[in-house]
Amino acid sequence: MTVLISPHGGMLKERLLDEKEAEMLKKRARDFPSWDLTERQLCDLEMIMNGGFSPLEGFFGKADYNTVVRDMRLSDGTLWPIPVTLDVTEEFASKVATGSSIALRNPEGILIAVLNVSDIWKPDKETEAKFVYGTKDILHPAVEFLLNRANPVYLGGEITGVEMPFHYDFGHLRNTPRELREKFKRQGWHKVVAFQTRNPMHRAHQELTFRAAKLAEANLLIHPVVGMTKPGDIDHYSRVRCYEKLLKHYPEQTTALSLLPLAMRMGGPREALWHAIIRKNYGCTHLIVGRDHAGPGNGSNGKPFYGHYDAQELISKYQGEIGVEMVPFQMMVYVKEKAGYMPVDEVEDRMEVLDISGTEFRRRLQEGLEIPDWFSFSEVVEELRKTHPPRQKQGFTVFFTGLSGSGKSTIANALLVKFLEMGGKAVTLLDGDLVRKHLSSELGFSKEHRDLNILRIGFVAGEITKAGGIAICAPIAPYAATRKRVRDIISPAGGFLEVYVSTPLEICEERDRKGLYAKARAGIIKEFTGISDPYEAPENPELVIDTRQCSPEEAAQMVLLKLEKLGFIR
Ligand code: PPS
């Protein structure tokens, strides 16, 4: 394993054995307990191994965790704003002792690294959320991840890298920190300003990066995140093809494009600091920080989680300590009379400004509407249109949820026939009973099993949607957080319509078509939804149907009209 001194003075700690040592460790690791890394953990591990997370040498132990959560510093005082933790199940943790080694494997079973376990503990996740992200609101993606998805036990310790995670995509654009530092040195780039992004870049971004590079008298590194970004973002394959097209509009000798395998947390100001530290490790001297850097959007109260310029303020406090200078930027807007872009704070009152927000841009893509030349380059738009066809060409999922006997299956069946009559798209019905027979026959009705059942339905519906088909799902799906996860799985692939069949419990019980309510009341069936198990009614479904007020035919029509309004059918 190597420690290099960067041209800019930062210490780079790579954690990777040479081939011979790696072969020996691979053999020994056969006897270690194996942990299958999650997508996020694999990204973090790659960043530890390639030195992008220097000075980290592994996943956080308890001491570093505590100080980072509360004070943004490792226990030795080094500035580090975001916890890098390895979360595992209680079952796995019970097989591990401090001082032992575990094999960290990718989803294909390849040994990536070995962790020497120094700490095992159960974190207080709410405290972590509050301190690191400033909120416990699960509309914040990192908080949702932490509270609903991350495993309950953390393992800490140094890692020994065996094999770098391999990427089959865009190999020519992937560089480790060491490779980038060497490239900059070779090319005589003494000052490099990095541009962080998780979105496609348009003319405003090009203008902004140009100006920033000029201002800093530096070369430009376009350094987009391709690990994990905000759920619902445009996939990195499409984005990278766009960046490649955009790169042709920069002078070849002054600008480079390289991909960053980081798993973002959307942690706003703290994340911005993290980005600066990471860019330092990659050999950059400057970082562009715009409005809402790494911002996660709005919380449940409708207000943004962080102030527009909080990230800039925090970085300005610590940039000296990190050794990366911030190039702060205002939002760029198009000024009609100048036929060009300007920072918003330089625009005079009399000037007419044109702007297309991210939401409006997505709407135009979805509806196949015009995207003007002043906003983006035609090659970039063309590329995005390929992977983001207008809504009427996309697949979608209609996800019914409601109590047993509420009428979900009846409406779902009516809808199925309507779609078949319309033709044009393949349709699949994933009814609750059907799924439990073919997909989830081994599952019962505990919370854990219900969640698994719903996630399986979500997975299948997502695949159908991605392939341009229609999936109709009709499970009870009693838990809001799990339904949200299904929405997050499916939305990037196409349409998602949540339909709450709101027939009240008394009516469902009175109907009792399958005689299950009587059995549940008698205690013969346990954990019965509505009787002895919870049902969390959706707060913001696309549609609510009360079967007391309409026939199945009418209900199916309501769904069709909604889909038409949203543009998924014509
Ligand atoms: S869940 O919660 O979404 O996983 O449930 P789901 O897969 O839709 O299965 C619900 C059907 O299973 C029957 N059933 C029960 N429902 C609720 N609670 C308990 N304990 C239970 N035991 C069996 C019931 O027939 C449900 O069918 P529907 O079509 O909803 O009436």
Side-chain angles (χ1 to χ4, degrees), residues 90-168:
E90 303 220 25
E91 191 203 344
F92 184 80
S94 70
K95 291 189 281 191
V96 178
T98 50
S100 68
S101 298
I102 63 168
L104 302 177
R105 298 184 187 275
N106 75 1
E108 287 86 49
I110 293 171
L111 179 69
I112 305 294
V114 167
L115 175 81
N116 295 312
V117 183
S118 61
D119 296 77
I120 306 173
W121 80 104
K122 267 185 120 166
D124 175 350
K125 290 184 175 179
E126 295 213 343
T127 303
E128 180 179 337
K130 194 87 199 71
F131 275 89
V132 179
Y133 304 110
T135 177
K136 288 193 261 178
D137 185 343
I138 58 159
L139 277 191
H140 190 301
V143 174
E144 197 275 332
F145 186 94
L146 181 65
L147 301 184
N148 292 338
R149 296 188 212 195
N151 291 301
V153 183
Y154 287 174
L155 300 185
E158 277 194 10
I159 63 109
T160 307
V162 174
E163 190 171 325
M164 265 301 174
F166 186 76
H167 300 282
Y168 294 97

Coordinates of all heavy atoms in Angstrom, one line a residue, residues 90-168:
E90 N -27.8 -7.3 12.2 CA -27.5 -7.8 13.6 C -27.0 -9.3 13.4 O -26.1 -9.7 14.2 CB -28.7 -7.8 14.5 CG -29.3 -6.4 14.6 CD -29.9 -6.1 16.0 OE1 -29.3 -6.7 16.9 OE2 -30.7 -5.3 16.1
E91 N -27.6 -10.0 12.5 CA -27.3 -11.4 12.4 C -25.8 -11.5 12.0 O -25.0 -12.3 12.5 CB -28.2 -12.0 11.3 CG -28.1 -13.5 11.2 CD -28.5 -14.0 9.9 OE1 -29.1 -13.3 9.1 OE2 -28.1 -15.2 9.6
F92 N -25.4 -10.7 11.0 CA -24.0 -10.7 10.5 C -23.0 -10.3 11.7 O -22.0 -10.9 11.9 CB -23.8 -9.9 9.3 CG -22.4 -10.0 8.7 CD1 -22.0 -11.1 8.0 CD2 -21.4 -9.0 9.0 CE1 -20.7 -11.2 7.5 CE2 -20.1 -9.1 8.6 CZ -19.8 -10.2 7.8
A93 N -23.4 -9.2 12.3 CA -22.6 -8.7 13.4 C -22.4 -9.7 14.5 O -21.3 -9.8 15.1 CB -23.2 -7.4 14.0
S94 N -23.4 -10.6 14.7 CA -23.3 -11.5 15.8 C -22.2 -12.6 15.5 O -21.7 -13.3 16.4 CB -24.6 -12.2 16.1 OG -24.9 -13.0 15.0
K95 N -21.8 -12.7 14.2 CA -20.8 -13.7 13.8 C -19.4 -13.1 13.9 O -18.4 -13.8 13.6 CB -21.0 -14.1 12.4 CG -22.3 -15.0 12.2 CD -22.4 -15.6 10.9 CE -22.8 -14.6 9.8 NZ -23.2 -15.1 8.5
V96 N -19.3 -11.8 14.2 CA -18.0 -11.1 14.1 C -17.5 -10.6 15.5 O -18.4 -10.1 16.3 CB -18.2 -9.9 13.2 CG1 -16.9 -9.1 13.1 CG2 -18.6 -10.3 11.8
A97 N -16.2 -10.7 15.7 CA -15.7 -10.1 17.0 C -14.6 -9.1 16.6 O -14.0 -9.1 15.6 CB -15.1 -11.3 17.8
T98 N -14.4 -8.2 17.6 CA -13.3 -7.2 17.3 C -12.0 -8.0 17.2 O -11.8 -9.0 17.9 CB -13.2 -6.1 18.4 OG1 -13.2 -6.8 19.6 CG2 -14.4 -5.2 18.3
G99 N -11.1 -7.5 16.4 CA -9.8 -8.2 16.2 C -9.9 -9.2 15.0 O -8.9 -9.7 14.6
S100 N -11.1 -9.6 14.6 CA -11.2 -10.6 13.5 C -11.3 -9.8 12.2 O -11.3 -8.6 12.1 CB -12.5 -11.4 13.7 OG -13.6 -10.6 13.5
S101 N -11.2 -10.6 11.1 CA -11.2 -10.1 9.7 C -12.4 -10.5 9.0 O -12.9 -11.6 9.2 CB -10.0 -10.6 9.0 OG -8.8 -10.2 9.6
I102 N -13.0 -9.6 8.2 CA -14.1 -10.1 7.3 C -13.8 -9.7 5.9 O -13.1 -8.8 5.6 CB -15.4 -9.4 7.8 CG1 -15.5 -7.9 7.6 CG2 -15.8 -9.9 9.1 CD1 -16.8 -7.4 7.8
A103 N -14.4 -10.6 5.0 CA -14.1 -10.4 3.6 C -15.3 -9.5 3.0 O -16.4 -9.8 3.2 CB -14.2 -11.7 2.9
L104 N -14.9 -8.4 2.4 CA -15.9 -7.5 1.8 C -16.0 -7.8 0.3 O -15.0 -7.7 -0.5 CB -15.4 -6.0 2.0 CG -15.2 -5.6 3.4 CD1 -14.7 -4.1 3.5 CD2 -16.5 -5.7 4.2
R105 N -17.1 -8.3 -0.1 CA -17.3 -8.7 -1.5 C -18.3 -7.9 -2.3 O -19.2 -7.4 -1.7 CB -17.7 -10.2 -1.6 CG -16.7 -11.1 -0.9 CD -17.1 -12.6 -1.0 NE -16.2 -13.4 -0.3 CZ -15.0 -13.8 -0.7 NH1 -14.7 -13.6 -2.0 NH2 -14.2 -14.5 0.0
N106 N -18.1 -7.8 -3.6 CA -19.0 -7.1 -4.4 C -20.2 -8.0 -4.7 O -20.2 -9.2 -4.4 CB -18.4 -6.5 -5.7 CG -18.1 -7.6 -6.7 OD1 -18.4 -8.7 -6.5 ND2 -17.4 -7.2 -7.8
P107 N -21.3 -7.5 -5.4 CA -22.5 -8.4 -5.6 C -22.2 -9.7 -6.4 O -22.9 -10.6 -6.3 CB -23.4 -7.5 -6.4 CG -23.0 -6.1 -6.0 CD -21.5 -6.2 -5.8
E108 N -21.1 -9.7 -7.1 CA -20.7 -10.9 -7.9 C -19.9 -11.9 -7.0 O -19.5 -12.9 -7.5 CB -19.9 -10.6 -9.2 CG -20.7 -10.0 -10.3 CD -20.8 -8.5 -10.1 OE1 -19.8 -7.8 -9.9 OE2 -22.0 -7.9 -10.2
G109 N -19.6 -11.5 -5.8 CA -18.8 -12.3 -4.9 C -17.3 -12.1 -5.0 O -16.5 -12.9 -4.4
I110 N -16.9 -11.1 -5.8 CA -15.4 -10.9 -5.9 C -14.9 -10.2 -4.6 O -15.6 -9.2 -4.1 CB -15.1 -10.1 -7.1 CG1 -15.5 -10.9 -8.4 CG2 -13.7 -9.6 -7.2 CD1 -15.4 -10.2 -9.7
L111 N -13.8 -10.7 -4.1 CA -13.2 -10.1 -2.9 C -12.6 -8.7 -3.3 O -11.7 -8.7 -4.0 CB -12.2 -11.0 -2.3 CG -11.5 -10.5 -1.1 CD1 -12.5 -10.5 0.1 CD2 -10.3 -11.4 -0.7
I112 N -13.1 -7.7 -2.7 CA -12.6 -6.3 -2.9 C -11.6 -5.9 -1.9 O -10.5 -5.4 -2.2 CB -13.8 -5.3 -3.0 CG1 -14.8 -5.7 -4.0 CG2 -13.2 -3.9 -3.3 CD1 -14.4 -5.8 -5.5
A113 N -11.9 -6.2 -0.6 CA -11.0 -5.8 0.5 C -11.3 -6.7 1.7 O -12.3 -7.4 1.8 CB -11.2 -4.3 0.8
V114 N -10.4 -6.6 2.6 CA -10.6 -7.3 3.9 C -10.6 -6.2 5.0 O -9.8 -5.2 5.0 CB -9.4 -8.2 4.2 CG1 -9.4 -8.7 5.6 CG2 -9.5 -9.4 3.3
L115 N -11.6 -6.3 5.9 CA -11.7 -5.3 7.0 C -11.2 -6.0 8.3 O -11.7 -7.1 8.6 CB -13.2 -4.9 7.2 CG -13.5 -4.0 8.3 CD1 -13.2 -2.6 8.0 CD2 -15.0 -4.1 8.8
N116 N -10.3 -5.3 8.9 CA -9.9 -5.8 10.3 C -10.7 -5.0 11.3 O -10.6 -3.8 11.5 CB -8.4 -5.5 10.5 CG -7.6 -6.3 9.5 OD1 -7.8 -7.5 9.4 ND2 -6.7 -5.6 8.8
V117 N -11.6 -5.8 11.9 CA -12.7 -5.1 12.7 C -12.1 -4.6 14.0 O -11.5 -5.4 14.8 CB -13.8 -6.2 13.0 CG1 -14.9 -5.5 13.8 CG2 -14.3 -6.8 11.7
S118 N -12.2 -3.3 14.2 CA -11.8 -2.7 15.5 C -12.9 -2.3 16.4 O -12.8 -2.3 17.6 CB -10.9 -1.5 15.2 OG -11.7 -0.5 14.5
D119 N -14.1 -2.0 15.7 CA -15.2 -1.6 16.5 C -16.5 -2.2 16.0 O -16.7 -2.3 14.8 CB -15.4 0.0 16.4 CG -14.2 0.7 16.9 OD1 -13.2 0.8 16.3 OD2 -14.4 1.3 18.0
I120 N -17.4 -2.5 16.9 CA -18.7 -3.0 16.5 C -19.7 -2.2 17.4 O -19.6 -2.3 18.7 CB -18.9 -4.5 16.8 CG1 -17.8 -5.3 16.1 CG2 -20.3 -5.0 16.4 CD1 -17.8 -6.8 16.5
W121 N -20.6 -1.5 16.9 CA -21.6 -0.7 17.7 C -22.9 -0.4 17.0 O -22.9 -0.5 15.8 CB -20.9 0.5 18.3 CG -20.9 1.7 17.3 CD1 -21.7 2.8 17.4 CD2 -20.0 1.9 16.2 NE1 -21.3 3.7 16.4 CE2 -20.3 3.2 15.6 CE3 -18.9 1.2 15.7 CZ2 -19.6 3.7 14.5 CZ3 -18.3 1.7 14.6 CH2 -18.6 2.9 14.0
K122 N -23.9 -0.2 17.9 CA -25.2 0.2 17.3 C -25.3 1.7 17.4 O -25.3 2.3 18.5 CB -26.3 -0.4 18.2 CG -26.7 -1.7 17.6 CD -27.9 -2.3 18.4 CE -29.1 -2.4 17.5 NZ -30.2 -3.2 18.1
P123 N -25.3 2.4 16.3 CA -25.3 3.9 16.3 C -26.7 4.4 16.7 O -27.7 3.7 16.5 CB -25.0 4.3 14.9 CG -25.6 3.1 14.1 CD -25.4 1.9 14.9
D124 N -26.7 5.6 17.2 CA -28.0 6.3 17.4 C -28.2 7.1 16.1 O -27.7 8.2 15.9 CB -27.8 7.3 18.6 CG -29.1 8.2 18.8 OD1 -29.9 8.1 17.9 OD2 -29.1 8.8 19.9
K125 N -29.1 6.5 15.2 CA -29.2 7.1 13.9 C -29.9 8.4 13.9 O -29.6 9.2 13.0 CB -30.0 6.1 13.0 CG -29.1 4.8 12.7 CD -30.0 4.0 11.8 CE -29.2 2.8 11.3 NZ -30.0 1.9 10.4
E126 N -30.8 8.6 14.8 CA -31.5 9.9 14.8 C -30.6 11.0 15.1 O -30.6 12.1 14.6 CB -32.7 9.9 15.8 CG -33.7 8.9 15.4 CD -35.1 9.3 15.8 OE1 -35.3 10.2 16.6 OE2 -36.1 8.7 15.2
T127 N -29.7 10.8 16.1 CA -28.6 11.8 16.4 C -27.8 12.0 15.2 O -27.4 13.2 14.9 CB -27.8 11.3 17.6 OG1 -28.7 11.1 18.7 CG2 -26.8 12.3 18.0
E128 N -27.4 10.9 14.5 CA -26.5 11.1 13.3 C -27.2 12.0 12.3 O -26.7 12.9 11.8 CB -26.2 9.7 12.7 CG -25.3 9.8 11.5 CD -25.0 8.4 10.9 OE1 -25.0 7.4 11.6 OE2 -24.7 8.4 9.7
A129 N -28.5 11.7 12.1 CA -29.3 12.5 11.1 C -29.4 13.9 11.5 O -29.1 14.8 10.7 CB -30.7 11.9 11.0
K130 N -29.6 14.2 12.8 CA -29.8 15.5 13.2 C -28.5 16.4 13.1 O -28.5 17.5 12.6 CB -30.3 15.5 14.7 CG -30.8 16.7 15.3 CD -32.3 16.8 15.0 CE -32.9 18.2 15.2 NZ -32.5 19.2 14.2
F131 N -27.4 15.7 13.5 CA -26.1 16.5 13.5 C -25.6 16.6 12.1 O -25.2 17.7 11.7 CB -25.1 15.8 14.4 CG -25.2 16.3 15.8 CD1 -26.0 15.6 16.7 CD2 -24.5 17.4 16.3 CE1 -26.1 16.0 18.0 CE2 -24.6 17.8 17.6 CZ -25.4 17.1 18.5
V132 N -25.6 15.5 11.3 CA -24.9 15.6 10.0 C -25.8 16.3 9.0 O -25.2 17.1 8.2 CB -24.6 14.1 9.6 CG1 -23.9 14.2 8.2 CG2 -23.7 13.4 10.6
Y133 N -27.1 16.0 9.0 CA -27.9 16.6 7.9 C -28.8 17.7 8.4 O -29.6 18.3 7.7 CB -28.7 15.4 7.2 CG -27.8 14.4 6.7 CD1 -27.8 13.1 7.3 CD2 -26.9 14.6 5.7 CE1 -26.9 12.1 6.9 CE2 -26.0 13.7 5.2 CZ -26.0 12.4 5.8 OH -25.1 11.5 5.4
G134 N -28.8 17.9 9.8 CA -29.6 18.9 10.3 C -31.1 18.7 10.4 O -31.9 19.6 10.6
T135 N -31.5 17.4 10.2 CA -32.9 17.1 10.2 C -33.2 15.6 10.4 O -32.3 14.8 10.1 CB -33.5 17.6 8.8 OG1 -34.9 17.2 8.8 CG2 -32.8 16.9 7.7
K136 N -34.4 15.3 10.8 CA -34.8 13.9 10.9 C -35.9 13.6 9.8 O -36.5 12.6 9.8 CB -35.4 13.6 12.3 CG -34.2 13.6 13.3 CD -34.7 13.0 14.6 CE -35.1 14.0 15.6 NZ -35.6 13.6 16.9
D137 N -36.1 14.6 9.0 CA -37.2 14.5 8.0 C -36.8 13.5 6.9 O -35.7 13.7 6.2 CB -37.3 15.9 7.4 CG -38.5 16.0 6.4 OD1 -38.9 15.0 5.9 OD2 -38.9 17.2 6.1
I138 N -37.6 12.5 6.7 CA -37.2 11.5 5.7 C -37.4 11.9 4.2 O -37.0 11.1 3.3 CB -37.9 10.1 5.9 CG1 -39.4 10.2 5.9 CG2 -37.4 9.4 7.2 CD1 -40.0 8.9 5.6
L139 N -37.8 13.2 4.0 CA -37.7 13.6 2.6 C -36.3 14.0 2.2 O -36.0 14.1 1.1 CB -38.6 14.9 2.5 CG -40.1 14.6 2.2 CD1 -40.8 15.8 1.8 CD2 -40.3 13.5 1.2
H140 N -35.4 14.1 3.2 CA -34.0 14.2 2.9 C -33.5 12.8 2.6 O -33.6 11.9 3.4 CB -33.3 14.7 4.2 CG -31.9 15.1 3.9 ND1 -30.9 14.3 3.4 CD2 -31.2 16.3 4.1 CE1 -29.8 14.9 3.2 NE2 -29.9 16.2 3.6
P141 N -32.9 12.7 1.3 CA -32.6 11.3 0.9 C -31.6 10.6 1.8 O -31.7 9.4 2.0 CB -31.9 11.5 -0.5 CG -32.1 12.9 -0.8 CD -32.7 13.7 0.3
A142 N -30.6 11.3 2.4 CA -29.6 10.6 3.2 C -30.3 10.2 4.6 O -29.9 9.2 5.1 CB -28.5 11.5 3.5
V143 N -31.2 11.0 5.0 CA -31.9 10.7 6.3 C -32.8 9.5 6.0 O -32.9 8.5 6.8 CB -32.7 11.9 6.8 CG1 -33.6 11.5 8.0 CG2 -31.8 13.0 7.1
E144 N -33.5 9.5 4.9 CA -34.4 8.3 4.5 C -33.5 7.1 4.5 O -33.9 6.0 5.0 CB -35.0 8.6 3.2 CG -36.2 7.8 2.9 CD -35.9 6.5 2.2 OE1 -34.8 6.4 1.6 OE2 -36.6 5.5 2.4
F145 N -32.4 7.2 3.8 CA -31.5 6.1 3.7 C -31.0 5.6 5.1 O -31.1 4.4 5.4 CB -30.3 6.5 2.9 CG -29.3 5.4 2.5 CD1 -29.5 4.7 1.3 CD2 -28.3 5.0 3.4 CE1 -28.6 3.6 1.0 CE2 -27.5 3.9 3.1 CZ -27.6 3.2 1.9
L146 N -30.6 6.5 5.9 CA -30.1 6.2 7.2 C -31.2 5.5 8.1 O -30.9 4.5 8.7 CB -29.6 7.5 7.9 CG -29.0 7.4 9.3 CD1 -27.7 6.6 9.2 CD2 -28.6 8.8 9.8
L147 N -32.4 6.2 8.1 CA -33.4 5.7 9.1 C -34.1 4.5 8.5 O -34.6 3.6 9.3 CB -34.3 6.8 9.4 CG -33.7 8.0 10.1 CD1 -34.8 9.0 10.5 CD2 -32.9 7.7 11.3
N148 N -34.3 4.4 7.2 CA -35.2 3.3 6.7 C -34.4 2.2 6.0 O -34.9 1.1 5.9 CB -36.1 3.8 5.7 CG -37.2 4.7 6.3 OD1 -37.4 4.7 7.5 ND2 -37.8 5.6 5.5
R149 N -33.2 2.4 5.6 CA -32.5 1.4 4.8 C -31.2 0.9 5.4 O -30.9 -0.3 5.2 CB -32.2 1.9 3.4 CG -33.5 2.2 2.6 CD -33.1 2.5 1.2 NE -34.1 3.5 0.7 CZ -34.2 3.7 -0.6 NH1 -33.5 3.1 -1.4 NH2 -35.1 4.6 -0.9
A150 N -30.5 1.8 6.0 CA -29.1 1.4 6.5 C -29.3 0.3 7.6 O -30.3 0.4 8.4 CB -28.4 2.6 7.1
N151 N -28.4 -0.7 7.6 CA -28.5 -1.7 8.6 C -28.2 -1.2 10.0 O -27.6 -0.1 10.1 CB -27.5 -2.8 8.3 CG -27.9 -3.6 7.0 OD1 -29.0 -4.1 6.9 ND2 -27.1 -3.5 6.0
P152 N -28.6 -1.9 11.1 CA -28.6 -1.3 12.4 C -27.2 -1.3 13.1 O -27.0 -0.6 14.1 CB -29.5 -2.2 13.2 CG -29.6 -3.5 12.5 CD -29.3 -3.2 11.0
V153 N -26.2 -2.1 12.6 CA -25.0 -2.2 13.3 C -23.8 -1.7 12.4 O -23.8 -1.9 11.3 CB -24.7 -3.7 13.8 CG1 -23.4 -3.7 14.6 CG2 -25.8 -4.3 14.5
Y154 N -22.9 -0.9 13.0 CA -21.8 -0.4 12.3 C -20.5 -1.3 12.6 O -20.3 -1.5 13.8 CB -21.5 1.0 12.6 CG -22.5 2.0 12.0 CD1 -22.4 3.4 12.3 CD2 -23.5 1.6 11.1 CE1 -23.3 4.3 11.8 CE2 -24.4 2.6 10.6 CZ -24.3 3.9 10.9 OH -25.2 4.8 10.4
L155 N -19.7 -1.6 11.6 CA -18.4 -2.2 11.9 C -17.4 -1.2 11.4 O -17.5 -0.7 10.3 CB -18.3 -3.5 11.0 CG -19.2 -4.6 11.2 CD1 -18.8 -5.8 10.4 CD2 -19.3 -5.1 12.7
G156 N -16.4 -1.0 12.3 CA -15.3 -0.1 11.9 C -14.0 -0.8 11.8 O -13.8 -1.9 12.4
G157 N -13.0 -0.2 11.1 CA -11.7 -0.8 11.1 C -11.0 -0.4 9.8 O -11.6 0.0 8.9
E158 N -9.6 -0.7 9.8 CA -8.8 -0.5 8.6 C -9.1 -1.5 7.6 O -9.5 -2.6 7.9 CB -7.3 -0.6 9.0 CG -6.8 0.6 9.6 CD -5.3 0.6 9.6 OE1 -4.7 -0.3 9.0 OE2 -4.7 1.5 10.3
I159 N -9.0 -1.1 6.3 CA -9.2 -2.1 5.3 C -7.9 -2.3 4.5 O -7.0 -1.5 4.5 CB -10.4 -1.7 4.3 CG1 -10.0 -0.4 3.5 CG2 -11.7 -1.5 4.9 CD1 -9.7 -0.6 2.1
T160 N -7.8 -3.5 4.0 CA -6.7 -3.9 3.1 C -7.3 -4.2 1.7 O -8.1 -5.1 1.6 CB -6.0 -5.1 3.6 OG1 -5.6 -4.9 5.0 CG2 -4.7 -5.4 2.8
G161 N -7.0 -3.4 0.7 CA -7.6 -3.5 -0.6 C -6.9 -4.7 -1.3 O -5.7 -4.9 -1.4
V162 N -7.8 -5.5 -1.9 CA -7.3 -6.7 -2.7 C -7.5 -6.4 -4.2 O -6.6 -6.7 -5.0 CB -8.1 -7.9 -2.3 CG1 -7.8 -9.1 -3.1 CG2 -7.9 -8.3 -0.8
E163 N -8.6 -5.9 -4.6 CA -8.9 -5.7 -6.0 C -9.8 -4.5 -6.2 O -10.9 -4.5 -5.6 CB -9.6 -7.0 -6.6 CG -9.6 -7.0 -8.1 CD -10.1 -8.3 -8.6 OE1 -9.8 -9.4 -8.1 OE2 -10.8 -8.3 -9.6
M164 N -9.4 -3.5 -7.0 CA -10.2 -2.4 -7.2 C -11.6 -2.7 -7.8 O -11.6 -3.6 -8.7 CB -9.6 -1.4 -8.2 CG -8.7 -0.3 -7.6 SD -9.6 0.7 -6.5 CE -8.3 1.7 -5.9
P165 N -12.7 -2.2 -7.3 CA -13.9 -2.4 -8.0 C -13.8 -2.1 -9.5 O -13.2 -1.1 -9.8 CB -14.9 -1.5 -7.3 CG -14.3 -1.2 -6.0 CD -12.8 -1.2 -6.2
F166 N -14.3 -3.0 -10.3 CA -14.1 -2.8 -11.8 C -15.3 -2.2 -12.4 O -16.4 -2.5 -12.0 CB -13.8 -4.1 -12.4 CG -13.4 -4.0 -13.9 CD1 -12.1 -3.5 -14.3 CD2 -14.3 -4.2 -14.9 CE1 -11.8 -3.3 -15.6 CE2 -14.0 -4.0 -16.2 CZ -12.7 -3.6 -16.6
H167 N -15.1 -1.3 -13.3 CA -16.2 -0.7 -14.0 C -16.1 -1.0 -15.5 O -15.1 -0.7 -16.1 CB -16.2 0.8 -13.8 CG -16.4 1.2 -12.4 ND1 -17.5 1.2 -11.7 CD2 -15.4 1.6 -11.5 CE1 -17.3 1.6 -10.4 NE2 -16.1 1.8 -10.3
Y168 N -17.2 -1.5 -16.1 CA -17.1 -1.8 -17.5 C -17.4 -0.6 -18.4 O -17.2 -0.6 -19.6 CB -18.1 -2.9 -17.8 CG -17.8 -4.3 -17.2 CD1 -18.4 -4.7 -16.0 CD2 -16.8 -5.1 -17.8 CE1 -18.0 -5.9 -15.4 CE2 -16.5 -6.3 -17.2 CZ -17.1 -6.7 -16.0 OH -16.7 -7.9 -15.4

